[in-house]
Every structure is written in structure tokens, then in C-alpha cells.
Amino acid sequence: MRDVAALAGVSLKTVSRVVNDEAGVSSALAQRVQRAAEQLGYRHNLAASNLRRGRRTGTIALLVQDLSNDFSAELLRAIDDTMRERGFVVLSTSLDEESAREREVVSNLIARRVDGLIMMPASVSQAYLQPEIAAGFAVVMIDRKPRHLDTDYVVVDNVAGAQDATNHLIAHGHRRIALVSDEPSIPTALDRRLGYVNALQAAGIAVDETLIRSGRTEAAYAEAVRELLALPDPPTALFTARNAATIGAARVLRELGLAYTIALVGFDDIARADLIEPGLTTVVQDPARVGREAANLLFARLNGADDEPHGLVLPTAMRLRGSGEIRPAR
Amino acid sequence: MRDVAALAGVSLKTVSRVVNDEAGVSSALAQRVQRAAEQLGYRHNLAASNLRRGRRTGTIALLVQDLSNDFSAELLRAIDDTMRERGFVVLSTSLDEESAREREVVSNLIARRVDGLIMMPASVSQAYLQPEIAAGFAVVMIDRKPRHLDTDYVVVDNVAGAQDATNHLIAHGHRRIALVSDEPSIPTALDRRLGYVNALQAAGIAVDETLIRSGRTEAAYAEAVRELLALPDPPTALFTARNAATIGAARVLRELGLAYTIALVGFDDIARADLIEPGLTTVVQDPARVGREAANLLFARLNGADDEPHGLVLPTAMRLRGSGEIRPAR
DNA sequence: ATGAAAGCGCTAACAT
DNA sequence: ATGTTAGCGCTTTCAT
């Protein structure tokens, strides 16, 4: 910048004004400065600018468990779309359910002076963020409610969604309904289990623990479904409370020729679920909506909103495509 | 930092040493400084640090056309995984085939002093990056070769992949093979068309322009397929050179009850393509591999590699799942 | 082993 | 309308 000033024969401040489109520079001078900048290949340094201004960096971060899945991709797209028109750029990374990584990443992001954070927490407690928030850092949780921390969040109603799914199966005549879900250490898995149990109890169906399985990988879910179907008194319907579980179950059902015999309802939508036969009935949430709402909440905080934290619980919807409308045999 | 120094009763430099884990501080002092930092809630400011050091920011960016699609998600995941263990964070955004947006984003990223860029170019020429690269900015193109710019790139062999797909259909007895692809303004679409034409010509089959359709949306592809099948002399096989085209075609074929009559081979894999009936035969590339290779090339440049640009052309593979092995109904 | 002073690139506050 | 000075938070000399 000094070089540009020298070449244009003006002061530093004048160059600064031109670069920042500030008023109060004669167009003749502005032109001369522009030319000098171009000639020297001058590039404005936003880091230095922000340092002096003591202002925001115009950067936020998105922390999800796995950047490669559909849900994260839609989320990121929506957040970037929403924030970029407001002048922000978005950093993102995967946490892989590792609490330690979450801490490390957050600490690094704070050192980078990221303005705010949208995150799907991996940790059991996010209390460690309290001092940062007090210092003006903005945080919005998504997918899972914050724990031991009072902050904005956007989640879907997992209990109600799971209850809907289970009720749907009950309404189609099923009484032996299995639950295949994520590990109970994952909060959403617990909520979905609760919805499942609620629905059964409301219908006067005893909860049979042998029909409840959990795991983390698609292979584990497939194995669980095989075991369930080999039971002396097997389930006539499956509620798979997670994407990978739904896929694993669909594969096993097809493999065993039971795709039109055993009912299946999954939580979270699957792309092209209508092209599969039978079409997969799912409880869906709208990741783009979650992203937009989270970005809006974050943006409000960045603009100084200091009212009580907002907790947004979005509804789920059921997409009936066939697999969930199968009635029990006999 | 000044406050920490004051509280610990040491100089600024000592705090700096402790914060950066530099040698030459007695552990007693270091402890005292740590405590003071904690007490004051001190957070290191990497922006200021980098400003003074004149060093890298440890930030790279990924520019794709659409962050929400599977390909981008896998790419981002692989790039983040590869770069984060090297101390980098990754910014990303969607360009939506808008050349102007590409320019604007790049200029903003340079002002932010991002160290490097991995991008799927939307523009017709990336010559504008030449001065930046000369000034030490690192750029790696993916999916599409750089145009009017000599830089590293990682692409797949679109011509060979399309040729394989077309040959596969020819080998199954087809002679009237339609091509449904992206607009010819997209470089990969041109390459895939070339592969299609090459294969036909090598087999002595005349290229019939009425069998070649292009578009941008799934709806447009579906409409194109409907038109093709309504032709007086309709194709017996479809080569859909893009994900959305494959889906659109699969939907129409199912709708018309022709899924087991008309052969279909698509370019780019589709998640759960094996669960669809018939399974979708596709020419696949490995987005995670593209991401890793691009990140490695970028990293080498960031470490000062100044040899000739490397152009990596990765092979594609065919996944036979049924739809592409249908023979013509004579 | 520790510290003082200068300066990274920029802009706020105050001149003129 | 333009320029001067100080300083953002840090690290690099170069002392001691």
C-alpha cells in the first residue's frame, strides 16, 4: 500500500480511501491510485484491515460429523448461500463423533478469530464454549440440542418423528416392530427411541427389548436385521432410525426376498428413494431449512442480538412410498 | 497479550514465547504465564501473528459448482481430511456455473490471503489467475482442465470413460444409441460427447444428430428421453453423460415400463444404484481420490515446488449392475 | 533466559 | 479533499 501511495504520489490514507470506496477522494486522484495499484499488482489485505478495525473477519465455520454425507452437503450449501450474500465465507470440517477433535477445532477457529460457529456437537458437554460466547463469539447448534450450555439451536422433533413412523406401522396392523438405531450415546438416537417407545405404549404394545438393536455401520445394521428376522418370533416391521440403518435393512430385505413382506420405515430421507422397489417410506427433515434457520440465528447474534437463546424445533414429515405400507403377513 | 504480560510480571516477548511453545523460557515462568493467560481468558490471535510473520494463513479454498451434490461432498471431505492433518482449514463455496461469481470469489479469497485454491472452473478462461500464481498463490484445477493457464490439475479421462460406456452398449448389440448430456458449453460434456462419437465411428455406426440431446435440469433430461423414445426409429440404448440425466432417464424408463427394455449406462456413479431395479450401470470416477490428489498437488506447491505443472488424468471404471446389459429387442 | 524497540499492513482519529 | 500520527496484536531483530 505504501508503494502504491508512493507511485501515485499520494498519502497512505488516500490509497486506503480508494481501496475501501470511501467518499472524499477526487475522481482524478482515485483514478491515479487505481492505476498505480493495478500496475504494482496490489492486493488489499483484509487480515490487516480487520486487525486494525477490530472488526469481524467475515468468516464462520460449520462443524458436522461427516462432510461427505448428503445431509451435511445440503446443510453446507444452504449455510453458504445464506451467509455469502451477507459477506461471509464458510469454513467446514468433519468431527467424526470425536469430542477431542471438536475441542481442538473450536480452539483453532477461535484463534483464527472466526466470528461464529454452526455445529453438530460431538461432545457430551459444550460448557467450554460459555466464556467464548460471553466474549462475543456466536454459536448455533444444529441437529442436537446444546448440552450444559444455553445457546441457539435448530433441531427437528426426533421424538415426534419417530412416534409418527411407529404409529404409521401400527396403523398398518403391525405389533412386532423392531427398532434399528444409532448408539444410545448419540442424543438423536435416544430421542428416536423414545418416540418409538411412546408410540408402542400408547397402542398398548409391550416394548420387547430383543427387538431393539443399535450399531454404527451399515454392515452392523445389516447384521442386526438378519438376526432380528431369524428370531423365533420375528418382527413384521422395521423402524430404522438412521440413514445407514435404512440402507442396510433395505439391502438385507431384498437379499432375503422379503422387501415386499416386511414393512420398513426409515428416519431421514434417502436420495432417489422412489426409484428403489418398493419405494422407501421415510420420515424426512429438511436439511436446507435447518441450514438457513441456523444461519439466520447466527447472523442475528453477529449483529448484536442478545435476547434469550432461541431453540427451534422443526417438524418432520412422512413420505409414503410403499415400504412402510406393507401389512403383516396372514 | 499485554495484559497477560502485566499480570504475569513478564515482558511481551516472554508471553509470545510461551504461547508459541518456543524454547528458552524457564518452566516456572511459563507456568506463571499460562495461569495469567487462563485467568484473563486470553486467546491467541493468529491473524496478527501471521501478519507479522508474513507467513501463510493456513487456509485454502475449494470452489465447486454446487456444494450440495454427492460429488462435491466427497471431494470436500477428502480435501479437508488431507489438509487438516497438515494444519490447514478449508473454505468452500458454490459457483453455479457463473463465471462472474468465480472472479468475485477468487478476488475476495486473495484479499483474505488464502494460501491456495482447488477449483472446478466455471469460467472460459482462467488467465486472470496468472499474476496471482506468479506472486506465489497456489492453484489446482479439478474436474476440468485449466484454460489459458498453465497450472496443476486433476481430471478424469472423460473421453475414454464415455467411449467405454458406448462400446459397452455396442458390445451388447446396440446400434441406435442416444446421448443425453450436459450443455456443450461445459468442457466435460464435450469430452464425453467426443468419446461417444469415437466409439460409434470405430464401430462403423453413423452418428445420428437426432439421437443427441442436451440440457441442464433433470426435468429437461426426462423430457429429452421421452422425445427420443417417441421417435419413429427410437434408440434401443441411452448413454446419459451426467448424473441428473441418468436419474431423469431412469425415471422415464420406469414410468413407461421400459426399464428392462431400453439399455441405460450413465456417467458418474449414483449412491445406492444397486438398490434400483434394474441396477444402474455407470461409468464411475472416484471423487475422494480426485480430492486427495488435488490436495497433494496443492500442498506441494505451498511447500515451494516450482517444477512444471502436473496434469493428472485419472481413469474411470465401469460398474455393471444390469441396466447397461440389456440387449436390443431386435 | 529474558526484554526493548521496531514494524507487519492497515485504518481511526484527528489534523490541515 | 487530503495528510499525519498512532496503534490493532503480534513477532522479529537485537540487546542484556
Side-chain angles (χ1 to χ4, degrees):
Chain A
M1 189 149 148
R2 201 181 39 215
D3 300 342
V4 175
L7 181 60
V10 296
S11 78
L12 265 180
K13 181 65 215 185
T14 302
V15 178
S16 172
R17 283 194 178 101
V18 173
V19 165
N20 290 292
D21 284 324
E22 277 173 38
V25 182
S26 71
S27 62
L29 255 197
Q31 293 255 329
R32 213 162 75 214
V33 171
Q34 297 272 20
R35 230 186 328 271
E38 211 152 313
Q39 198 173 323
L40 294 173
Y42 167 78
R43 300 286 171 240
H44 192 57
N45 186 330
L46 271 178
S49 170
N50 285 327
L51 180 59
R52 178 61 242 234
R53 300 178 120 117
R55 268 193 349 196
R56 301 193 303 215
T57 56
T59 308
I60 64 156
L62 170 67
L63 273 43
V64 295
Q65 299 311 319
D66 175 13
L67 278 173
S68 75
N69 70 39
D70 298 3
F71 190 88
S72 302
E74 293 246 26
L75 207 53
L76 175 56
R77 164 94 214 195
I79 292 171
D80 178 48
D81 285 354
T82 309
M83 294 307 284
R84 85 181 177 209
E85 61 193 22
R86 295 164 172 169
F88 287 79
V89 293
V90 183
L91 285 168
S92 59
T93 195
S94 310
L95 299 180
D96 294 320
E97 303 292 355
E98 287 172 33
S99 182
R101 170 138 175 79
E102 175 186 313
R103 295 291 290 262
E104 178 194 317
V105 168
V106 167
S107 148
N108 182 255
L109 293 172
I110 285 173
R112 288 170 181 276
R113 291 299 187 271
V114 157
D115 301 322
L117 195 59
I118 295 177
M119 100 170 165
M120 192 181 295
S123 59
V124 167
S125 163
Q126 294 89 50
Y128 69 95
L129 282 169
Q130 190 53 66
E132 317 298 347
I133 292 174
F137 190 60
V139 177
V140 176
M141 297 294 173
I142 48 173
D143 195 58
R144 305 168 185 180
K145 291 184 185 175
R147 307 224 264 164
H148 309 288
L149 180 72
D150 192 25
T151 185
D152 294 334
Y153 63 83
V154 182
V155 299
V156 295
D157 195 334
N158 287 293
V159 178
Q163 208 158 334
D164 290 349
T166 312
N167 278 334
H168 183 76
L169 290 167
I170 293 169
H172 281 80
H174 297 276
R175 297 189 63 85
R176 286 196 65 70
I177 302 170
L179 168 69
V180 183
S181 79
D182 208 337
E183 300 289 359
S185 59
I186 310 291
T188 49
L190 268 184
D191 283 349
R192 292 173 192 178
R193 179 188 168 132
L194 181 59
Y196 162 83
V197 169
N198 283 352
L200 291 183
Q201 289 180 339
I205 302 173
V207 175
D208 180 350
E209 290 287 341
T210 61
L211 294 186
I212 299 182
R213 309 289 165 126
S214 63
R216 288 246 71 207
T217 65
E218 191 186 309
Y221 298 126
E223 184 49 29
V225 171
R226 268 190 214 96
E227 284 174 21
L228 284 165
L229 296 175
L231 247 35
D233 187 8
T236 60
L238 307 174
F239 169 42
T240 47
R242 194 187 172 214
N243 224 302
T246 308
I247 306 294
R251 286 232 163 78
V252 170
L253 290 181
R254 141 167 323 202
E255 183 186 309
L256 300 178
L258 296 173
Y260 285 94
T261 308
I262 304 291
L264 174 63
V265 175
F267 203 113
D268 280 336
D269 207 13
I270 286 166
R272 273 86 65 176
D274 58 317
L275 285 177
I276 296 171
E277 299 197 26
L280 294 179
T281 291
T282 54
V283 176
V284 309
Q285 51 178 315
D286 181 352
R289 166 108 192 266
V290 174
R292 278 193 309 272
E293 301 281 9
N296 287 337
L297 286 175
L298 190 73
F299 188 64
R301 293 287 166 206
L302 292 175
N303 281 350
D306 61 347
D307 46 341
E308 284 299 293
H310 302 278
L312 220 60
V313 181
L314 302 177
T316 58
M318 288 209 55
R319 287 252 194 296
L320 314 189
R321 298 195 183 97
S323 73
E325 292 70 53
I326 296 170
R327 297 190 161 267
R330 165 202 12 198
Chain B
M1 189 149 147
R2 200 182 39 214
D3 300 341
V4 175
L7 181 60
V10 296
S11 78
L12 266 180
K13 179 65 218 184
T14 301
V15 178
S16 172
R17 284 194 178 101
V18 172
V19 165
N20 291 292
D21 284 323
E22 277 173 39
V25 182
S26 70
S27 62
L29 255 196
Q31 294 254 330
R32 213 162 75 213
V33 172
Q34 298 272 20
R35 229 187 327 271
E38 212 152 311
Q39 199 175 321
L40 295 173
Y42 168 79
R43 300 287 171 240
H44 192 58
N45 186 329
L46 272 178
S49 170
N50 285 327
L51 180 58
R52 180 62 242 237
R53 300 180 122 114
R55 268 191 350 193
R56 300 194 304 216
T57 56
T59 307
I60 64 155
L62 170 66
L63 273 44
V64 296
Q65 299 312 316
D66 175 12
L67 278 174
S68 74
N69 70 38
D70 299 2
F71 190 88
S72 302
E74 293 246 24
L75 207 53
L76 174 56
R77 163 95 216 195
I79 291 171
D80 179 47
D81 286 353
T82 309
M83 295 307 283
R84 84 180 177 209
E85 60 194 23
R86 293 163 173 168
F88 287 80
V89 293
V90 183
L91 285 167
S92 59
T93 195
S94 310
L95 299 180
D96 294 322
E97 303 292 355
E98 287 171 33
S99 183
R101 168 137 176 80
E102 174 187 314
R103 295 290 291 262
E104 179 194 317
V105 168
V106 167
S107 149
N108 183 256
L109 292 173
I110 285 173
R112 287 169 180 275
R113 291 298 185 271
V114 156
D115 300 323
L117 196 59
I118 295 177
M119 100 170 164
M120 191 180 297
S123 60
V124 168
S125 163
Q126 295 88 48
Y128 69 95
L129 282 169
Q130 191 54 66
E132 317 298 348
I133 292 175
F137 190 59
V139 177
V140 177
M141 297 293 173
I142 48 173
D143 195 59
R144 305 168 184 181
K145 292 184 186 178
R147 307 224 265 165
H148 309 288
L149 179 72
D150 193 23
T151 186
D152 295 333
Y153 63 83
V154 182
V155 298
V156 295
D157 195 335
N158 287 294
V159 178
Q163 207 158 335
D164 291 349
T166 313
N167 279 334
H168 182 76
L169 290 167
I170 293 170
H172 282 79
H174 297 277
R175 296 187 64 83
R176 286 196 67 70
I177 303 170
L179 168 69
V180 183
S181 79
D182 208 338
E183 299 290 358
S185 58
I186 311 290
T188 49
L190 267 185
D191 284 348
R192 292 172 192 179
R193 178 187 169 131
L194 181 58
Y196 161 83
V197 169
N198 283 353
L200 290 183
Q201 288 180 338
I205 303 173
V207 174
D208 181 350
E209 290 287 342
T210 62
L211 294 186
I212 299 182
R213 308 289 165 125
S214 62
R216 288 247 71 205
T217 66
E218 192 187 306
Y221 298 128
E223 184 49 30
V225 170
R226 267 190 213 98
E227 284 174 22
L228 283 165
L229 296 175
L231 246 35
D233 187 8
T236 60
L238 308 173
F239 169 42
T240 47
R242 194 187 172 212
N243 224 302
T246 308
I247 306 294
R251 285 231 164 80
V252 170
L253 290 182
R254 140 166 324 202
E255 182 185 308
L256 301 178
L258 295 174
Y260 285 94
T261 309
I262 304 291
L264 173 63
V265 175
F267 204 113
D268 281 336
D269 208 11
I270 286 166
R272 273 86 64 175
D274 58 316
L275 285 176
I276 295 170
E277 300 197 25
L280 294 179
T281 291
T282 53
V283 176
V284 309
Q285 51 178 316
D286 181 353
R289 166 110 192 264
V290 173
R292 280 194 306 274
E293 301 280 7
N296 286 336
L297 285 174
L298 190 72
F299 189 64
R301 292 288 165 206
L302 292 175
N303 281 349
D306 62 345
D307 46 340
E308 284 299 293
H310 302 278
L312 221 59
V313 181
L314 302 178
T316 58
M318 288 208 57
R319 289 251 195 297
L320 313 189
R321 300 195 183 97
S323 73
E325 292 71 52
I326 296 171
R327 297 190 160 267
R330 173 173 1 236

mmCIF file of all heavy atoms in Angstrom, chain A residues 82-103:
data_model
loop_
_atom_site.group_PDB
_atom_site.id
_atom_site.type_symbol
_atom_site.label_atom_id
_atom_site.label_comp_id
_atom_site.label_asym_id
_atom_site.label_seq_id
_atom_site.Cartn_x
_atom_site.Cartn_y
_atom_site.Cartn_z
ATOM 1 N N THR A 82 -26.788 -18.645 2.302
ATOM 2 C CA THR A 82 -27.378 -17.634 3.173
ATOM 3 C C THR A 82 -26.341 -16.623 3.652
ATOM 4 O O THR A 82 -26.615 -15.422 3.736
ATOM 5 C CB THR A 82 -28.022 -18.309 4.409
ATOM 6 O OG1 THR A 82 -28.890 -19.350 3.963
ATOM 7 C CG2 THR A 82 -28.817 -17.308 5.223
ATOM 8 N N MET A 83 -25.157 -17.103 3.983
ATOM 9 C CA MET A 83 -24.147 -16.222 4.554
ATOM 10 C C MET A 83 -23.346 -15.444 3.521
ATOM 11 O O MET A 83 -22.856 -14.353 3.800
ATOM 12 C CB MET A 83 -23.193 -17.027 5.446
ATOM 13 C CG MET A 83 -23.853 -17.607 6.690
ATOM 14 S SD MET A 83 -24.759 -16.407 7.722
ATOM 15 C CE MET A 83 -23.438 -15.545 8.556
ATOM 16 N N ARG A 84 -23.165 -15.987 2.356
ATOM 17 C CA ARG A 84 -22.310 -15.293 1.397
ATOM 18 C C ARG A 84 -22.924 -14.004 0.905
ATOM 19 O O ARG A 84 -22.219 -13.051 0.621
ATOM 20 C CB ARG A 84 -21.933 -16.207 0.243
ATOM 21 C CG ARG A 84 -22.914 -16.277 -0.882
ATOM 22 C CD ARG A 84 -22.392 -17.243 -1.915
ATOM 23 N NE ARG A 84 -23.327 -17.414 -3.001
ATOM 24 C CZ ARG A 84 -23.426 -18.518 -3.724
ATOM 25 N NH1 ARG A 84 -22.657 -19.548 -3.432
ATOM 26 N NH2 ARG A 84 -24.260 -18.606 -4.712
ATOM 27 N N GLU A 85 -24.245 -13.970 0.828
ATOM 28 C CA GLU A 85 -24.866 -12.725 0.380
ATOM 29 C C GLU A 85 -24.764 -11.666 1.462
ATOM 30 O O GLU A 85 -25.059 -10.504 1.233
ATOM 31 C CB GLU A 85 -26.313 -12.963 -0.058
ATOM 32 C CG GLU A 85 -27.212 -13.476 1.024
ATOM 33 C CD GLU A 85 -28.547 -14.000 0.445
ATOM 34 O OE1 GLU A 85 -28.583 -14.330 -0.767
ATOM 35 O OE2 GLU A 85 -29.513 -14.066 1.201
ATOM 36 N N ARG A 86 -24.344 -12.092 2.636
ATOM 37 C CA ARG A 86 -24.135 -11.138 3.724
ATOM 38 C C ARG A 86 -22.647 -10.872 3.929
ATOM 39 O O ARG A 86 -22.233 -10.327 4.961
ATOM 40 C CB ARG A 86 -24.736 -11.702 5.010
ATOM 41 C CG ARG A 86 -26.249 -11.835 4.914
ATOM 42 C CD ARG A 86 -26.797 -12.728 5.988
ATOM 43 N NE ARG A 86 -28.255 -12.689 5.997
ATOM 44 C CZ ARG A 86 -29.013 -13.521 6.685
ATOM 45 N NH1 ARG A 86 -28.449 -14.464 7.419
ATOM 46 N NH2 ARG A 86 -30.314 -13.427 6.659
ATOM 47 N N GLY A 87 -21.847 -11.352 2.992
ATOM 48 C CA GLY A 87 -20.424 -11.056 3.037
ATOM 49 C C GLY A 87 -19.560 -12.016 3.838
ATOM 50 O O GLY A 87 -18.407 -11.716 4.131
ATOM 51 N N PHE A 88 -20.108 -13.177 4.168
ATOM 52 C CA PHE A 88 -19.320 -14.132 4.946
ATOM 53 C C PHE A 88 -18.829 -15.291 4.094
ATOM 54 O O PHE A 88 -19.452 -15.656 3.112
ATOM 55 C CB PHE A 88 -20.175 -14.709 6.078
ATOM 56 C CG PHE A 88 -20.415 -13.739 7.197
ATOM 57 C CD1 PHE A 88 -21.375 -12.745 7.078
ATOM 58 C CD2 PHE A 88 -19.668 -13.804 8.362
ATOM 59 C CE1 PHE A 88 -21.589 -11.837 8.100
ATOM 60 C CE2 PHE A 88 -19.877 -12.904 9.384
ATOM 61 C CZ PHE A 88 -20.840 -11.912 9.258
ATOM 62 N N VAL A 89 -17.712 -15.870 4.499
ATOM 63 C CA VAL A 89 -17.266 -17.119 3.894
ATOM 64 C C VAL A 89 -17.381 -18.205 4.965
ATOM 65 O O VAL A 89 -17.423 -17.916 6.158
ATOM 66 C CB VAL A 89 -15.823 -17.041 3.351
ATOM 67 C CG1 VAL A 89 -15.749 -16.087 2.180
ATOM 68 C CG2 VAL A 89 -14.856 -16.653 4.449
ATOM 69 N N VAL A 90 -17.427 -19.439 4.509
ATOM 70 C CA VAL A 90 -17.698 -20.547 5.423
ATOM 71 C C VAL A 90 -16.591 -21.598 5.419
ATOM 72 O O VAL A 90 -16.248 -22.146 4.366
ATOM 73 C CB VAL A 90 -19.036 -21.232 5.060
ATOM 74 C CG1 VAL A 90 -19.364 -22.340 6.050
ATOM 75 C CG2 VAL A 90 -20.166 -20.215 5.001
ATOM 76 N N LEU A 91 -16.050 -21.859 6.589
ATOM 77 C CA LEU A 91 -15.090 -22.943 6.784
ATOM 78 C C LEU A 91 -15.882 -24.165 7.224
ATOM 79 O O LEU A 91 -16.901 -24.018 7.900
ATOM 80 C CB LEU A 91 -14.140 -22.599 7.927
ATOM 81 C CG LEU A 91 -13.051 -21.574 7.691
ATOM 82 C CD1 LEU A 91 -12.429 -21.175 9.024
ATOM 83 C CD2 LEU A 91 -12.000 -22.177 6.780
ATOM 84 N N SER A 92 -15.423 -25.352 6.882
ATOM 85 C CA SER A 92 -16.144 -26.520 7.378
ATOM 86 C C SER A 92 -15.189 -27.679 7.625
ATOM 87 O O SER A 92 -14.122 -27.767 7.017
ATOM 88 C CB SER A 92 -17.217 -26.943 6.382
ATOM 89 O OG SER A 92 -16.632 -27.245 5.147
ATOM 90 N N THR A 93 -15.590 -28.538 8.536
ATOM 91 C CA THR A 93 -14.773 -29.728 8.786
ATOM 92 C C THR A 93 -15.629 -30.818 9.427
ATOM 93 O O THR A 93 -16.743 -30.569 9.879
ATOM 94 C CB THR A 93 -13.543 -29.397 9.659
ATOM 95 O OG1 THR A 93 -12.618 -30.479 9.591
ATOM 96 C CG2 THR A 93 -13.937 -29.163 11.104
ATOM 97 N N SER A 94 -15.087 -32.037 9.438
ATOM 98 C CA SER A 94 -15.781 -33.207 9.991
ATOM 99 C C SER A 94 -15.259 -33.498 11.389
ATOM 100 O O SER A 94 -14.067 -33.414 11.644
ATOM 101 C CB SER A 94 -15.512 -34.448 9.130
ATOM 102 O OG SER A 94 -15.742 -34.209 7.764
ATOM 103 N N LEU A 95 -16.160 -33.858 12.300
ATOM 104 C CA LEU A 95 -15.737 -34.182 13.667
ATOM 105 C C LEU A 95 -15.695 -35.684 13.929
ATOM 106 O O LEU A 95 -15.010 -36.140 14.855
ATOM 107 C CB LEU A 95 -16.682 -33.525 14.677
ATOM 108 C CG LEU A 95 -16.747 -31.995 14.632
ATOM 109 C CD1 LEU A 95 -17.718 -31.472 15.682
ATOM 110 C CD2 LEU A 95 -15.361 -31.394 14.842
ATOM 111 N N ASP A 96 -16.439 -36.448 13.126
ATOM 112 C CA ASP A 96 -16.437 -37.912 13.281
ATOM 113 C C ASP A 96 -16.746 -38.371 14.692
ATOM 114 O O ASP A 96 -16.162 -39.354 15.164
ATOM 115 C CB ASP A 96 -15.083 -38.487 12.833
ATOM 116 C CG ASP A 96 -14.851 -38.287 11.349
ATOM 117 O OD1 ASP A 96 -15.803 -38.437 10.582
ATOM 118 O OD2 ASP A 96 -13.709 -37.967 10.964
ATOM 119 N N GLU A 97 -17.654 -37.672 15.349
ATOM 120 C CA GLU A 97 -18.075 -38.047 16.715
ATOM 121 C C GLU A 97 -16.927 -38.032 17.724
ATOM 122 O O GLU A 97 -16.996 -38.664 18.766
ATOM 123 C CB GLU A 97 -18.754 -39.429 16.738
ATOM 124 C CG GLU A 97 -19.963 -39.588 15.829
ATOM 125 C CD GLU A 97 -21.180 -38.751 16.257
ATOM 126 O OE1 GLU A 97 -21.111 -38.128 17.320
ATOM 127 O OE2 GLU A 97 -22.168 -38.724 15.502
ATOM 128 N N GLU A 98 -15.874 -37.309 17.393
ATOM 129 C CA GLU A 98 -14.745 -37.255 18.324
ATOM 130 C C GLU A 98 -14.772 -35.951 19.119
ATOM 131 O O GLU A 98 -14.512 -34.870 18.585
ATOM 132 C CB GLU A 98 -13.420 -37.367 17.574
ATOM 133 C CG GLU A 98 -13.153 -38.765 17.066
ATOM 134 C CD GLU A 98 -11.934 -38.793 16.161
ATOM 135 O OE1 GLU A 98 -10.995 -38.012 16.402
ATOM 136 O OE2 GLU A 98 -11.943 -39.581 15.196
ATOM 137 N N SER A 99 -15.035 -36.115 20.369
ATOM 138 C CA SER A 99 -15.151 -34.983 21.263
ATOM 139 C C SER A 99 -13.848 -34.166 21.329
ATOM 140 O O SER A 99 -13.861 -32.938 21.319
ATOM 141 C CB SER A 99 -15.522 -35.528 22.635
ATOM 142 O OG SER A 99 -15.700 -34.501 23.526
ATOM 143 N N ALA A 100 -12.737 -34.861 21.358
ATOM 144 C CA ALA A 100 -11.441 -34.185 21.453
ATOM 145 C C ALA A 100 -11.187 -33.333 20.213
ATOM 146 O O ALA A 100 -10.667 -32.217 20.292
ATOM 147 C CB ALA A 100 -10.321 -35.207 21.617
ATOM 148 N N ARG A 101 -11.593 -33.879 19.079
ATOM 149 C CA ARG A 101 -11.397 -33.121 17.842
ATOM 150 C C ARG A 101 -12.252 -31.854 17.860
ATOM 151 O O ARG A 101 -11.822 -30.811 17.397
ATOM 152 C CB ARG A 101 -11.750 -34.014 16.652
ATOM 153 C CG ARG A 101 -11.819 -33.266 15.361
ATOM 154 C CD ARG A 101 -11.207 -33.938 14.173
ATOM 155 N NE ARG A 101 -11.472 -33.114 12.997
ATOM 156 C CZ ARG A 101 -10.803 -32.026 12.668
ATOM 157 N NH1 ARG A 101 -9.762 -31.645 13.390
ATOM 158 N NH2 ARG A 101 -11.122 -31.310 11.613
ATOM 159 N N GLU A 102 -13.431 -31.958 18.397
ATOM 160 C CA GLU A 102 -14.295 -30.789 18.485
ATOM 161 C C GLU A 102 -13.598 -29.672 19.266
ATOM 162 O O GLU A 102 -13.540 -28.523 18.819
ATOM 163 C CB GLU A 102 -15.615 -31.163 19.174
ATOM 164 C CG GLU A 102 -16.538 -29.988 19.414
ATOM 165 C CD GLU A 102 -17.771 -30.384 20.244
ATOM 166 O OE1 GLU A 102 -18.396 -31.409 19.939
ATOM 167 O OE2 GLU A 102 -18.077 -29.667 21.221
ATOM 168 N N ARG A 103 -13.042 -30.020 20.399
ATOM 169 C CA ARG A 103 -12.376 -29.025 21.242
ATOM 170 C C ARG A 103 -11.214 -28.371 20.519
ATOM 171 O O ARG A 103 -11.018 -27.159 20.546
ATOM 172 C CB ARG A 103 -11.857 -29.695 22.531
ATOM 173 C CG ARG A 103 -12.941 -30.220 23.430
ATOM 174 C CD ARG A 103 -13.726 -29.080 24.053
ATOM 175 N NE ARG A 103 -12.953 -28.344 25.031
ATOM 176 C CZ ARG A 103 -13.014 -28.534 26.340
ATOM 177 N NH1 ARG A 103 -13.852 -29.429 26.830
ATOM 178 N NH2 ARG A 103 -12.275 -27.828 27.172
#
